[in-house]
Amino acid sequence: MGVGKTTIGKLVAKKLYRDFVDIDEEIEKEFNMPVTKIFEEIGEQAFRQREKEIVIEQCRQKLRIISVGGGAFLQEEIRKECLSSCIVFFLDLSWESWKERISMIIDSRPVLQGKSIEEIEELFYKRQEVYSAHHSKVQTDHQEIEEVADYIVNSLKLAWELNE
Ligand SMILES: Nc1ncnc2c1ncn2[C@@H]1O[C@H](COP(=O)(O)OP(=O)(O)OP(=O)(O)O)[C@@H](O)[C@H]1O
Ligand SMILES: O=C(O)C1=C[C@@H](O)[C@@H](O)[C@H](O)C1
Ligand SMILES: [Mg+2]
């Protein structure tokens, strides 16, 4: 969560001339309210249900860069679909670096709200296990957004060249 999937995904799509889809944004458009309000008024369960359906729908389309929400991979069906129909990049960030980013994202990430720093740290490490299911890991500590995007673009181009 907040590692840069939306920001970097958008840039990767631009560099590769692909469409970009942000799953949180799709859900927000559908409910016509921000994620925080969806959690408050409709509930996390309804959010997770639509998240699953939209990810599966989007994964089955071609030629697009998809940014999932930070909690999407907690759902097994999402993990399975992404790993079988897409190339999954895991943007990794150390706890030390991520800790610095919490104040920047907390207002728009309901999952973090009302938690102590110890609880947030526990959530961080628990989720690392889930994110270990991926095709490629990108280390983002001390990396500019542009550098991470270029790394992803280059590794995709290399994979396509090798596949030709
Ligand atoms: N490499 C980076 N260096 C510095 N700041 C970054 C970097 N990547 C992202 N950010 C900043 O971190 C914040 C969160 O980024 P972003 O919304 O793209 O994360 P996300 O992974 O999509 O989050 P979520 O899982 O909640 O969807 C933004 O303010 C963004 O500008
Ligand atoms: O990490 C999470 O569980 C979340 C991250 C955001 O992208 C949103 O999908 C929502 O705030 C939940
Ligand atoms: Mg995002």
Side-chain angles (χ1 to χ4, degrees), residues 52-84:
K52 182 171 69 191
E53 291 159 358
I54 298 173
V55 171
I56 292 173
E57 196 181 295
Q58 288 298 330
C59 279
R60 294 180 180 174
Q61 308 293 318
K62 295 220 177 299
L63 304 175
R64 57 192 55 188
I65 306 295
I66 303 168
S67 166
V68 295
F73 258 46
L74 299 174
Q75 300 196 61
E76 194 185 1
E77 280 172 270
I78 293 188
R79 272 200 317 272
K80 281 192 171 155
E81 181 66 40
C82 289
L83 290 163
S84 62

Side-chain angles (χ1 to χ4, degrees), residues 1 5 24 35 39 44 47-48 51 68-72 74 108-111 127 131:
M1 181 199 311
K5 299 179 297 298
D24 286 336
V35 170
F39 269 57
E44 180 171 356
F47 175 88
R48 296 297 179 196
E51 179 177 49
V68 295
L74 299 174
S108 52
R109 306 310 196 275
V111 169
R127 283 183 166 197
Y131 302 148

Side-chain angles (χ1 to χ4, degrees), residues 22-44 47 107-110 113:
D22 185 79
I23 303 298
D24 286 336
E25 226 174 85
E26 293 301 309
I27 304 171
E28 286 178 331
K29 271 194 268 175
E30 205 174 280
F31 285 98
N32 196 27
M33 56 178 98
V35 170
T36 324
K37 212 156 174 225
I38 302 174
F39 269 57
E40 261 170 36
E41 295 191 2
I42 301 162
E44 180 171 356
F47 175 88
D107 289 346
S108 52
R109 306 310 196 275
Q113 290 159 14

Side-chain angles (χ1 to χ4, degrees), residues 113-128:
Q113 290 159 14
K115 285 196 170 64
S116 67
I117 192 72
E118 290 78 19
E119 286 168 331
I120 293 179
E121 184 175 6
E122 197 185 320
L123 178 113
F124 177 91
Y125 284 110
K126 218 163 134 200
R127 283 183 166 197
Q128 290 296 93

